[in-house]
Amino acid sequence: MTQPAPSARLSFEPMGPAHRPALLEVYGDLAAMRWVGDGTAITVEECDQWLEVTARNLATRGYGMLALRSRATNEVLGFAGLVHPGGQEEPELKYAYSFLFPHPLFPKKHLLC
């Protein structure tokens, strides 16, 4: 997989087991997840399955989800990449990130699309 070049503020890395806590934080927030899919938060088992699917996609398709890391703080800010929900043939763009600081326009902790 060819990773995107880092920007002035972000670096990108293939999503893997080390990203599990951040993945659970973002996708495990029930208040945020009410707007996504069936409206339920991700479980630990679903998180582990997602990490396995992502590793397989990276190996077989050459793309998948990436962790977005702040170059200033080294914290994982969120995730972005191409996915195949339910095994569908055509990929979809998915992204989600966690706000580190409150913002008046975004009262929720996470923004998911």
Side-chain angles (χ1 to χ4, degrees):
M1 173 186 176
T2 302
Q3 289 179 216
S7 71
R9 295 182 290 176
L10 292 175
S11 63
F12 309 94
E13 53 198 52
M15 193 171 79
H19 302 108
R20 185 179 191 234
L23 189 64
L24 283 168
E25 177 188 341
V26 172
Y27 288 97
D29 184 327
L30 186 56
M33 294 308 297
R34 70 183 179 157
W35 306 108
V36 179
D38 65 2
T40 60
I42 194 171
T43 66
V44 172
E45 293 79 17
E46 290 168 331
C47 179
D48 291 341
Q49 181 181 10
W50 193 356
L51 290 170
E52 291 172 16
V53 168
T54 296
R56 189 168 48 252
N57 282 342
L58 290 170
T60 60
R61 298 178 187 270
Y63 59 83
M65 292 292 285
L66 298 172
L68 313 176
R69 190 176 293 277
S70 166
R71 294 183 72 190
T73 66
N74 203 37
E75 292 180 76
V76 174
L77 302 178
F79 305 92
L82 296 174
V83 297
H84 294 263
Q88 72 185 31
E89 185 61 30
E90 294 296 316
E92 291 183 9
L93 176 64
K94 182 177 196 117
Y95 63 93
Y97 59 93
S98 175
F99 287 106
L100 295 179
F101 305 102
H103 190 285
L105 296 177
F106 304 107
K108 298 292 181 194
K109 184 177 171 184
H110 307 293
L111 176 67
L112 298 134
C113 296

